[in-house]
Amino acid sequence: MLNIYKERDINDSYERAKELYGSFGVDTDRVLEDIKKIPISIHCWQGDDVGGFEVDADGVLGGGILATGNYPGKARNAEELRQDLDKAMSLIPGKHRVNLHASYAETEGKFVERDELEPRHFEKWIAWAKEKGIGLDFNPTFFSHRMADSGYTLASKDKEVRDFWIRHAKRCREIGAYMGKTLGTPCVNNIWIPDGSKDLPADRMGYREILKDSLDEILEEKYDRRYLLDAVECKLFGIGSEAYVVGSHEFYMGYALTRGTLLCLDAGHFHPTETVSDKISSLLTYIDELLLHVSRGVRWDSDHVVILNDEVFAIAQELKRCNAFHRVHFGLDFFDASINRISAWVIGTRASLKAIMMALLEPTHLLREAEDNGDLGRRLALMEEFKSLPFSAVWDKYCLDQGVPVGAEWLNRVDEYEKQVLSQR
Ligand code: RNT
Ligand code: ZN
């Protein structure tokens, strides 16, 4: 059923699409080149439900991060996780990156505390990435740990707790810089902390001042931007931090602006009617680079598998219209333990790439021309018409050229992998 894609048909459809887009002044061959230069950072944590592989780990997810479901076959160690990532990446067109958390260190069966992690604990990941010719990104892990049980880490009023996490974050920057240097592409090291309060705090400001000081201490050491890029990520609320989150949007926006870090926008971390897409142009007026956590919020959950929905498309569209693809780092951030985890990666990454490709194919100059001429009816009419241009013919051609399955054919490969590999775990 899924093997209906024939090379000749794909090429024929592409030629017709090329002509049509060409009549609107868009060069599809160029889009096929441009999209190759936009890597997506694929998050390792979808592969094992954000569990990580720490020896003697407390074992429970914390800090408001919750993966639900128990679909069989999850990766039990880093080898399996890499194998699964290899499989997922073989079904996604283009060359991408992989995003790791500190809790995915490989410590050869020995317990290593988070404030003692070193680059060598990531040697296998780095060697794997090097062999594949891809970059790595990184995150300190401020959750699922007894030192985070109070609900506070970098913003803790307990100096012992705070200092532990400061040491951890410093180690992570060192590890990230090492990854960036070794792999020849800057590693984006993203700080997200769960700190907040279930119910009304009496000292909103106190925690924020502490967090600012902790971050300043962490960032004291300067690294070459060719190796390491620091990012900070805000959140509106989490499970157990409904009333107050120390690292709010305003907090980190101010921080990034005054300290020169990247700002991370997670699509699931705002009020439901508030969109990340509308923030991009405002922030890029003042900030050089952004990190995006492409995600999908559903009610209280901020991390459903990304699909090609209005917001993902709007984000890509904004980047095209702001001519800002080179100022943004695309990262994925979702985790669903109730479906095949390889499928989750492939669905989310392919959806993000489709959004990017649709945006790249947009005849933006015609929209702007109509707008500048004050012809707003024409602008709206063109926006609507552009939605039904034959984007899928260009997408299929891209998959074909990149040697990955076209259309739903990738599901056959996931089924095979599930039978041969996942079901044996
Ligand atoms: C949590 C943040 C954060 C995490 C990852 C695992 O709400 O979105 O980015 O999802 O670090
Ligand atoms: Zn996130």
Side-chain angles (χ1 to χ4, degrees):
M1 175 192 79
L2 300 178
N3 289 316
I4 55 162
Y5 307 97
K6 302 272 181 307
E7 195 170 327
R8 209 192 57 210
D9 296 344
I10 294 167
N11 284 324
D12 286 352
S13 302
Y14 176 70
E15 288 308 320
R16 272 197 296 279
K18 183 176 163 165
E19 218 183 315
L20 203 49
Y21 277 107
S23 73
F24 287 106
V26 174
D27 178 353
T28 53
D29 287 342
R30 192 164 155 202
V31 168
L32 288 174
E33 285 308 310
D34 287 349
I35 196 165
K36 287 186 205 159
K37 296 174 209 140
I38 304 174
I40 307 243
S41 193
I42 302 174
H43 55 316
C44 76
W45 52 92
Q46 165 59 57
D48 75 327
D49 318 335
V50 212
F53 303 127
E54 287 173 309
V55 179
D56 293 336
D58 302 340
V60 272
L61 268 187
I65 293 199
L66 181 68
T68 51
N70 58 353
Y71 198 86
K74 95 168 161 190
R76 293 163 299 181
N77 52 52
E79 288 296 330
E80 290 182 354
L81 189 56
R82 283 190 285 268
Q83 188 188 10
D84 292 354
L85 278 162
D86 278 332
K87 178 48 71 177
M89 285 192 271
S90 75
L91 306 175
I92 296 164
K95 213 176 232 287
H96 299 286
R97 306 171 63 86
V98 166
N99 196 2
L100 295 175
H101 244 279
S103 51
Y104 291 80
E106 287 173 277
T107 57
E108 288 163 7
K110 283 190 250 33
F111 172 72
V112 177
E113 193 44 284
R114 290 199 192 160
D115 62 347
E116 284 165 4
L117 287 170
E118 293 175 38
R120 68 188 169 94
H121 298 124
F122 294 87
E123 271 317 345
K124 285 189 189 162
W125 281 108
I126 295 169
W128 172 77
K130 191 159 200 157
E131 199 194 306
K132 300 175 75 67
I134 62 172
L136 290 177
D137 296 309
F138 202 57
N139 305 258
T141 311
F142 295 99
F143 48 85
S144 306
H145 191 282
R146 66 190 161 76
M147 289 295 254
D149 281 351
S150 69
Y152 290 89
T153 61
L154 293 179
S156 172
K157 293 194 176 183
D158 180 336
K159 187 164 164 33
E160 196 192 325
V161 170
R162 194 166 72 237
D163 286 347
F164 172 81
W165 291 113
I166 290 173
R167 286 195 302 276
H168 172 60
K170 285 184 175 176
R171 291 277 173 147
C172 288
R173 290 185 74 225
E174 186 191 329
I175 293 164
Y178 178 80
M179 288 173 168
K181 190 171 185 181
T182 315
L183 297 171
T185 163
C187 166
V188 180
N189 182 55
N190 179 49
I191 294 184
W192 173 76
I193 58 166
D195 300 32
S197 158
K198 181 184 178 74
D199 224 325
L200 299 170
D203 185 16
R204 285 182 188 265
M205 185 136 184
Y207 294 106
R208 290 188 167 135
E209 282 176 336
I210 292 173
L211 177 55
K212 171 180 66 79
D213 290 344
S214 296
L215 291 169
D216 282 348
E217 194 176 332
I218 291 165
L219 296 175
E220 225 163 50
E221 172 111 33
K222 298 289 168 234
Y223 287 94
D224 193 322
R225 284 178 73 91
R226 282 175 304 165
Y227 307 145
L228 184 76
L229 296 171
D230 295 289
V232 288
E233 179 182 8
C234 74
K235 192 166 180 171
L236 179 67
F237 79 95
I239 298 170
S241 62
E242 290 84 359
Y244 168 69
V245 165
V246 186
S248 63
H249 178 49
E250 292 74 11
F251 177 88
Y252 280 128
M253 186 165 64
Y255 194 84
L257 279 168
T258 51
R259 270 52 173 188
T261 65
L262 274 64
L263 185 66
C264 172
L265 298 175
D266 185 310
H269 285 191
F270 295 87
H271 279 285
T273 56
E274 201 180 350
T275 56
V276 159
S277 51
D278 183 42
K279 299 179 190 302
I280 290 172
S281 53
S282 297
L283 291 168
L284 287 179
T285 306
Y286 298 102
I287 294 180
D288 288 341
E289 291 176 50
L290 296 174
L291 168 63
L292 291 178
H293 269 190
V294 184
S295 185
R296 175 166 53 111
V298 177
R299 304 196 189 281
W300 54 264
D301 179 51
S302 63
D303 304 290
H304 270 56
V305 178
V306 166
I307 55 173
L308 184 54
N309 60 9
D310 286 351
E311 178 55 3
V312 174
F313 185 42
I315 289 171
Q317 230 165 20
E318 268 310 302
L319 295 175
K320 166 78 188 315
R321 294 176 186 175
C322 298
N323 188 21
F325 276 109
H326 60 292
R327 294 172 64 190
V328 162
H329 303 258
F330 269 92
L332 300 176
D333 186 13
F334 51 78
F335 25 98
D336 187 341
S338 74
I339 60 174
N340 182 300
R341 296 170 184 82
I342 318 281
S343 292
W345 270 321
V346 179
I347 293 166
T349 317
R350 283 177 73 120
S352 305
L353 286 168
K354 282 182 187 172
I356 291 170
M357 179 174 267
M358 286 168 89
L360 290 175
L361 286 167
E362 181 187 83
T364 311
H365 59 288
L366 297 181
L367 299 176
R368 196 158 301 150
E369 191 181 281
E371 182 167 298
D372 291 346
N373 290 337
D375 195 345
L376 306 188
R378 184 181 178 82
R379 182 186 63 185
L380 190 61
L382 288 175
M383 280 180 180
E384 283 305 286
E385 288 306 324
F386 293 164
K387 286 179 184 167
S388 50
L389 285 175
F391 142 78
S392 70
V394 186
W395 170 253
D396 288 350
K397 171 73 173 157
Y398 184 48
C399 291
L400 180 74
D401 287 355
Q402 292 290 307
V404 305
V406 174
E409 207 263 321
W410 64 266
L411 276 168
N412 294 337
R413 315 269 184 99
V414 173
D415 288 347
E416 264 163 44
Y417 190 73
E418 179 154 316
K419 267 190 220 99
Q420 282 162 13
V421 181
L422 301 181
S423 66
Q424 309 303 312
R425 288 182 182 164

PDB file of all heavy atoms in Angstrom, residues 3-16 393 396-404 406:
ATOM      1  N   ASN A   3       3.959   1.569  -1.075  1.00  0.00           N
ATOM      2  CA  ASN A   3       5.043   1.633  -2.056  1.00  0.00           C
ATOM      3  C   ASN A   3       4.580   2.144  -3.413  1.00  0.00           C
ATOM      4  O   ASN A   3       4.902   1.581  -4.440  1.00  0.00           O
ATOM      5  CB  ASN A   3       5.678   0.244  -2.221  1.00  0.00           C
ATOM      6  CG  ASN A   3       6.468  -0.116  -0.980  1.00  0.00           C
ATOM      7  OD1 ASN A   3       7.198   0.706  -0.454  1.00  0.00           O
ATOM      8  ND2 ASN A   3       6.291  -1.335  -0.511  1.00  0.00           N
ATOM      9  N   ILE A   4       3.806   3.206  -3.410  1.00  0.00           N
ATOM     10  CA  ILE A   4       3.265   3.678  -4.677  1.00  0.00           C
ATOM     11  C   ILE A   4       4.104   4.796  -5.295  1.00  0.00           C
ATOM     12  O   ILE A   4       3.760   5.328  -6.329  1.00  0.00           O
ATOM     13  CB  ILE A   4       1.821   4.207  -4.494  1.00  0.00           C
ATOM     14  CG1 ILE A   4       1.820   5.273  -3.401  1.00  0.00           C
ATOM     15  CG2 ILE A   4       0.853   3.075  -4.159  1.00  0.00           C
ATOM     16  CD1 ILE A   4       0.593   6.137  -3.430  1.00  0.00           C
ATOM     17  N   TYR A   5       5.189   5.146  -4.638  1.00  0.00           N
ATOM     18  CA  TYR A   5       5.972   6.282  -5.118  1.00  0.00           C
ATOM     19  C   TYR A   5       7.006   5.834  -6.147  1.00  0.00           C
ATOM     20  O   TYR A   5       7.908   5.079  -5.838  1.00  0.00           O
ATOM     21  CB  TYR A   5       6.653   6.974  -3.942  1.00  0.00           C
ATOM     22  CG  TYR A   5       5.668   7.338  -2.859  1.00  0.00           C
ATOM     23  CD1 TYR A   5       5.491   6.504  -1.747  1.00  0.00           C
ATOM     24  CD2 TYR A   5       4.885   8.483  -2.968  1.00  0.00           C
ATOM     25  CE1 TYR A   5       4.571   6.821  -0.771  1.00  0.00           C
ATOM     26  CE2 TYR A   5       3.954   8.798  -1.984  1.00  0.00           C
ATOM     27  CZ  TYR A   5       3.807   7.972  -0.893  1.00  0.00           C
ATOM     28  OH  TYR A   5       2.898   8.271   0.085  1.00  0.00           O
ATOM     29  N   LYS A   6       6.839   6.311  -7.375  1.00  0.00           N
ATOM     30  CA  LYS A   6       7.761   5.916  -8.455  1.00  0.00           C
ATOM     31  C   LYS A   6       8.653   7.102  -8.805  1.00  0.00           C
ATOM     32  O   LYS A   6       8.179   8.226  -8.933  1.00  0.00           O
ATOM     33  CB  LYS A   6       6.960   5.516  -9.700  1.00  0.00           C
ATOM     34  CG  LYS A   6       5.977   4.372  -9.469  1.00  0.00           C
ATOM     35  CD  LYS A   6       6.655   3.027  -9.684  1.00  0.00           C
ATOM     36  CE  LYS A   6       5.708   1.861  -9.479  1.00  0.00           C
ATOM     37  NZ  LYS A   6       4.983   1.860  -8.198  1.00  0.00           N
ATOM     38  N   GLU A   7       9.911   6.781  -9.012  1.00  0.00           N
ATOM     39  CA  GLU A   7      10.880   7.837  -9.276  1.00  0.00           C
ATOM     40  C   GLU A   7      10.456   8.731 -10.448  1.00  0.00           C
ATOM     41  O   GLU A   7      10.546   9.966 -10.377  1.00  0.00           O
ATOM     42  CB  GLU A   7      12.239   7.190  -9.551  1.00  0.00           C
ATOM     43  CG  GLU A   7      13.352   8.186  -9.464  1.00  0.00           C
ATOM     44  CD  GLU A   7      14.722   7.525  -9.492  1.00  0.00           C
ATOM     45  OE1 GLU A   7      14.873   6.395  -8.966  1.00  0.00           O
ATOM     46  OE2 GLU A   7      15.636   8.140 -10.061  1.00  0.00           O
ATOM     47  N   ARG A   8       9.980   8.096 -11.507  1.00  0.00           N
ATOM     48  CA  ARG A   8       9.630   8.889 -12.690  1.00  0.00           C
ATOM     49  C   ARG A   8       8.478   9.855 -12.393  1.00  0.00           C
ATOM     50  O   ARG A   8       8.516  11.027 -12.774  1.00  0.00           O
ATOM     51  CB  ARG A   8       9.255   7.955 -13.855  1.00  0.00           C
ATOM     52  CG  ARG A   8       9.562   8.583 -15.208  1.00  0.00           C
ATOM     53  CD  ARG A   8       8.939   7.804 -16.339  1.00  0.00           C
ATOM     54  NE  ARG A   8       7.488   7.686 -16.160  1.00  0.00           N
ATOM     55  CZ  ARG A   8       6.758   6.652 -16.594  1.00  0.00           C
ATOM     56  NH1 ARG A   8       7.338   5.644 -17.212  1.00  0.00           N
ATOM     57  NH2 ARG A   8       5.453   6.632 -16.419  1.00  0.00           N
ATOM     58  N   ASP A   9       7.491   9.375 -11.650  1.00  0.00           N
ATOM     59  CA  ASP A   9       6.355  10.236 -11.291  1.00  0.00           C
ATOM     60  C   ASP A   9       6.814  11.411 -10.428  1.00  0.00           C
ATOM     61  O   ASP A   9       6.361  12.543 -10.595  1.00  0.00           O
ATOM     62  CB  ASP A   9       5.306   9.445 -10.486  1.00  0.00           C
ATOM     63  CG  ASP A   9       4.708   8.326 -11.326  1.00  0.00           C
ATOM     64  OD1 ASP A   9       4.873   8.378 -12.563  1.00  0.00           O
ATOM     65  OD2 ASP A   9       4.103   7.408 -10.735  1.00  0.00           O
ATOM     66  N   ILE A  10       7.696  11.105  -9.512  1.00  0.00           N
ATOM     67  CA  ILE A  10       8.174  12.164  -8.616  1.00  0.00           C
ATOM     68  C   ILE A  10       8.898  13.244  -9.415  1.00  0.00           C
ATOM     69  O   ILE A  10       8.675  14.442  -9.227  1.00  0.00           O
ATOM     70  CB  ILE A  10       9.105  11.563  -7.531  1.00  0.00           C
ATOM     71  CG1 ILE A  10       8.300  10.643  -6.615  1.00  0.00           C
ATOM     72  CG2 ILE A  10       9.776  12.663  -6.709  1.00  0.00           C
ATOM     73  CD1 ILE A  10       9.131   9.768  -5.716  1.00  0.00           C
ATOM     74  N   ASN A  11       9.740  12.799 -10.338  1.00  0.00           N
ATOM     75  CA  ASN A  11      10.474  13.775 -11.164  1.00  0.00           C
ATOM     76  C   ASN A  11       9.536  14.574 -12.068  1.00  0.00           C
ATOM     77  O   ASN A  11       9.695  15.780 -12.227  1.00  0.00           O
ATOM     78  CB  ASN A  11      11.556  13.073 -11.984  1.00  0.00           C
ATOM     79  CG  ASN A  11      12.745  12.704 -11.100  1.00  0.00           C
ATOM     80  OD1 ASN A  11      13.102  13.452 -10.181  1.00  0.00           O
ATOM     81  ND2 ASN A  11      13.334  11.538 -11.352  1.00  0.00           N
ATOM     82  N   ASP A  12       8.551  13.896 -12.632  1.00  0.00           N
ATOM     83  CA  ASP A  12       7.584  14.606 -13.496  1.00  0.00           C
ATOM     84  C   ASP A  12       6.817  15.664 -12.692  1.00  0.00           C
ATOM     85  O   ASP A  12       6.670  16.803 -13.132  1.00  0.00           O
ATOM     86  CB  ASP A  12       6.567  13.623 -14.096  1.00  0.00           C
ATOM     87  CG  ASP A  12       7.205  12.783 -15.197  1.00  0.00           C
ATOM     88  OD1 ASP A  12       8.364  13.092 -15.578  1.00  0.00           O
ATOM     89  OD2 ASP A  12       6.561  11.821 -15.667  1.00  0.00           O
ATOM     90  N   SER A  13       6.330  15.243 -11.533  1.00  0.00           N
ATOM     91  CA  SER A  13       5.566  16.187 -10.703  1.00  0.00           C
ATOM     92  C   SER A  13       6.445  17.363 -10.307  1.00  0.00           C
ATOM     93  O   SER A  13       5.993  18.506 -10.251  1.00  0.00           O
ATOM     94  CB  SER A  13       5.062  15.520  -9.426  1.00  0.00           C
ATOM     95  OG  SER A  13       4.278  14.421  -9.750  1.00  0.00           O
ATOM     96  N   TYR A  14       7.693  17.048 -10.006  1.00  0.00           N
ATOM     97  CA  TYR A  14       8.607  18.129  -9.614  1.00  0.00           C
ATOM     98  C   TYR A  14       8.770  19.141 -10.750  1.00  0.00           C
ATOM     99  O   TYR A  14       8.733  20.358 -10.521  1.00  0.00           O
ATOM    100  CB  TYR A  14       9.972  17.573  -9.195  1.00  0.00           C
ATOM    101  CG  TYR A  14      10.939  18.690  -8.883  1.00  0.00           C
ATOM    102  CD1 TYR A  14      10.765  19.485  -7.752  1.00  0.00           C
ATOM    103  CD2 TYR A  14      11.992  19.004  -9.745  1.00  0.00           C
ATOM    104  CE1 TYR A  14      11.606  20.553  -7.482  1.00  0.00           C
ATOM    105  CE2 TYR A  14      12.838  20.070  -9.482  1.00  0.00           C
ATOM    106  CZ  TYR A  14      12.646  20.840  -8.349  1.00  0.00           C
ATOM    107  OH  TYR A  14      13.473  21.903  -8.086  1.00  0.00           O
ATOM    108  N   GLU A  15       8.936  18.659 -11.954  1.00  0.00           N
ATOM    109  CA  GLU A  15       9.127  19.583 -13.084  1.00  0.00           C
ATOM    110  C   GLU A  15       7.924  20.509 -13.248  1.00  0.00           C
ATOM    111  O   GLU A  15       8.069  21.695 -13.520  1.00  0.00           O
ATOM    112  CB  GLU A  15       9.391  18.805 -14.389  1.00  0.00           C
ATOM    113  CG  GLU A  15      10.768  18.139 -14.456  1.00  0.00           C
ATOM    114  CD  GLU A  15      11.933  19.099 -14.166  1.00  0.00           C
ATOM    115  OE1 GLU A  15      11.877  20.261 -14.632  1.00  0.00           O
ATOM    116  OE2 GLU A  15      12.877  18.709 -13.442  1.00  0.00           O
ATOM    117  N   ARG A  16       6.741  19.942 -13.074  1.00  0.00           N
ATOM    118  CA  ARG A  16       5.526  20.782 -13.180  1.00  0.00           C
ATOM    119  C   ARG A  16       5.470  21.812 -12.047  1.00  0.00           C
ATOM    120  O   ARG A  16       5.130  22.977 -12.250  1.00  0.00           O
ATOM    121  CB  ARG A  16       4.270  19.909 -13.170  1.00  0.00           C
ATOM    122  CG  ARG A  16       3.876  19.426 -14.580  1.00  0.00           C
ATOM    123  CD  ARG A  16       2.443  18.937 -14.623  1.00  0.00           C
ATOM    124  NE  ARG A  16       2.272  17.752 -13.777  1.00  0.00           N
ATOM    125  CZ  ARG A  16       2.598  16.514 -14.138  1.00  0.00           C
ATOM    126  NH1 ARG A  16       3.109  16.289 -15.333  1.00  0.00           N
ATOM    127  NH2 ARG A  16       2.415  15.503 -13.321  1.00  0.00           N
ATOM    128  N   ALA A 393       5.145  18.155  -4.151  1.00  0.00           N
ATOM    129  CA  ALA A 393       5.990  17.639  -5.240  1.00  0.00           C
ATOM    130  C   ALA A 393       7.457  17.990  -4.987  1.00  0.00           C
ATOM    131  O   ALA A 393       8.362  17.208  -5.304  1.00  0.00           O
ATOM    132  CB  ALA A 393       5.530  18.234  -6.572  1.00  0.00           C
ATOM    133  N   ASP A 396       8.631  15.723  -1.992  1.00  0.00           N
ATOM    134  CA  ASP A 396       8.923  14.352  -2.432  1.00  0.00           C
ATOM    135  C   ASP A 396      10.247  14.290  -3.188  1.00  0.00           C
ATOM    136  O   ASP A 396      11.034  13.354  -3.024  1.00  0.00           O
ATOM    137  CB  ASP A 396       7.795  13.829  -3.338  1.00  0.00           C
ATOM    138  CG  ASP A 396       6.518  13.536  -2.551  1.00  0.00           C
ATOM    139  OD1 ASP A 396       6.571  13.554  -1.300  1.00  0.00           O
ATOM    140  OD2 ASP A 396       5.474  13.288  -3.185  1.00  0.00           O
ATOM    141  N   LYS A 397      10.483  15.297  -4.001  1.00  0.00           N
ATOM    142  CA  LYS A 397      11.738  15.341  -4.762  1.00  0.00           C
ATOM    143  C   LYS A 397      12.920  15.436  -3.797  1.00  0.00           C
ATOM    144  O   LYS A 397      13.955  14.782  -3.972  1.00  0.00           O
ATOM    145  CB  LYS A 397      11.694  16.553  -5.706  1.00  0.00           C
ATOM    146  CG  LYS A 397      12.989  16.865  -6.420  1.00  0.00           C
ATOM    147  CD  LYS A 397      13.294  15.856  -7.511  1.00  0.00           C
ATOM    148  CE  LYS A 397      14.509  16.309  -8.317  1.00  0.00           C
ATOM    149  NZ  LYS A 397      15.145  15.155  -8.985  1.00  0.00           N
ATOM    150  N   TYR A 398      12.757  16.237  -2.766  1.00  0.00           N
ATOM    151  CA  TYR A 398      13.826  16.387  -1.773  1.00  0.00           C
ATOM    152  C   TYR A 398      14.120  15.037  -1.105  1.00  0.00           C
ATOM    153  O   TYR A 398      15.276  14.625  -0.985  1.00  0.00           O
ATOM    154  CB  TYR A 398      13.419  17.436  -0.728  1.00  0.00           C
ATOM    155  CG  TYR A 398      14.490  17.747   0.290  1.00  0.00           C
ATOM    156  CD1 TYR A 398      15.796  18.002  -0.119  1.00  0.00           C
ATOM    157  CD2 TYR A 398      14.203  17.801   1.652  1.00  0.00           C
ATOM    158  CE1 TYR A 398      16.791  18.287   0.803  1.00  0.00           C
ATOM    159  CE2 TYR A 398      15.191  18.090   2.583  1.00  0.00           C
ATOM    160  CZ  TYR A 398      16.487  18.337   2.154  1.00  0.00           C
ATOM    161  OH  TYR A 398      17.463  18.606   3.068  1.00  0.00           O
ATOM    162  N   CYS A 399      13.078  14.335  -0.713  1.00  0.00           N
ATOM    163  CA  CYS A 399      13.263  13.021  -0.073  1.00  0.00           C
ATOM    164  C   CYS A 399      13.951  12.058  -1.038  1.00  0.00           C
ATOM    165  O   CYS A 399      14.887  11.336  -0.664  1.00  0.00           O
ATOM    166  CB  CYS A 399      11.923  12.455   0.386  1.00  0.00           C
ATOM    167  SG  CYS A 399      11.204  13.372   1.772  1.00  0.00           S
ATOM    168  N   LEU A 400      13.500  12.065  -2.274  1.00  0.00           N
ATOM    169  CA  LEU A 400      14.100  11.179  -3.281  1.00  0.00           C
ATOM    170  C   LEU A 400      15.584  11.482  -3.448  1.00  0.00           C
ATOM    171  O   LEU A 400      16.427  10.577  -3.375  1.00  0.00           O
ATOM    172  CB  LEU A 400      13.365  11.366  -4.620  1.00  0.00           C
ATOM    173  CG  LEU A 400      13.852  10.517  -5.790  1.00  0.00           C
ATOM    174  CD1 LEU A 400      13.416   9.064  -5.609  1.00  0.00           C
ATOM    175  CD2 LEU A 400      13.304  11.060  -7.120  1.00  0.00           C
ATOM    176  N   ASP A 401      15.913  12.753  -3.641  1.00  0.00           N
ATOM    177  CA  ASP A 401      17.316  13.148  -3.844  1.00  0.00           C
ATOM    178  C   ASP A 401      18.182  12.831  -2.632  1.00  0.00           C
ATOM    179  O   ASP A 401      19.367  12.544  -2.773  1.00  0.00           O
ATOM    180  CB  ASP A 401      17.417  14.657  -4.120  1.00  0.00           C
ATOM    181  CG  ASP A 401      16.924  14.998  -5.520  1.00  0.00           C
ATOM    182  OD1 ASP A 401      16.608  14.071  -6.284  1.00  0.00           O
ATOM    183  OD2 ASP A 401      16.846  16.211  -5.830  1.00  0.00           O
ATOM    184  N   GLN A 402      17.602  12.917  -1.472  1.00  0.00           N
ATOM    185  CA  GLN A 402      18.370  12.667  -0.245  1.00  0.00           C
ATOM    186  C   GLN A 402      18.421  11.182   0.117  1.00  0.00           C
ATOM    187  O   GLN A 402      18.994  10.808   1.138  1.00  0.00           O
ATOM    188  CB  GLN A 402      17.748  13.444   0.920  1.00  0.00           C
ATOM    189  CG  GLN A 402      17.899  14.952   0.799  1.00  0.00           C
ATOM    190  CD  GLN A 402      19.336  15.396   0.997  1.00  0.00           C
ATOM    191  OE1 GLN A 402      19.956  15.053   1.997  1.00  0.00           O
ATOM    192  NE2 GLN A 402      19.884  16.119   0.042  1.00  0.00           N
ATOM    193  N   GLY A 403      17.797  10.364  -0.690  1.00  0.00           N
ATOM    194  CA  GLY A 403      17.858   8.922  -0.454  1.00  0.00           C
ATOM    195  C   GLY A 403      17.084   8.453   0.762  1.00  0.00           C
ATOM    196  O   GLY A 403      17.456   7.478   1.413  1.00  0.00           O
ATOM    197  N   VAL A 404      16.017   9.163   1.095  1.00  0.00           N
ATOM    198  CA  VAL A 404      15.174   8.697   2.206  1.00  0.00           C
ATOM    199  C   VAL A 404      13.786   8.378   1.655  1.00  0.00           C
ATOM    200  O   VAL A 404      13.419   8.855   0.577  1.00  0.00           O
ATOM    201  CB  VAL A 404      15.085   9.736   3.355  1.00  0.00           C
ATOM    202  CG1 VAL A 404      16.475  10.118   3.855  1.00  0.00           C
ATOM    203  CG2 VAL A 404      14.305  10.972   2.943  1.00  0.00           C
ATOM    204  N   VAL A 406      10.069   8.215   0.441  1.00  0.00           N
ATOM    205  CA  VAL A 406       9.139   9.253   0.003  1.00  0.00           C
ATOM    206  C   VAL A 406       7.767   8.965   0.622  1.00  0.00           C
ATOM    207  O   VAL A 406       7.347   7.811   0.680  1.00  0.00           O
ATOM    208  CB  VAL A 406       9.047   9.253  -1.542  1.00  0.00           C
ATOM    209  CG1 VAL A 406       7.983  10.233  -2.027  1.00  0.00           C
ATOM    210  CG2 VAL A 406      10.404   9.600  -2.145  1.00  0.00           C
TER     211      VAL A 406
END
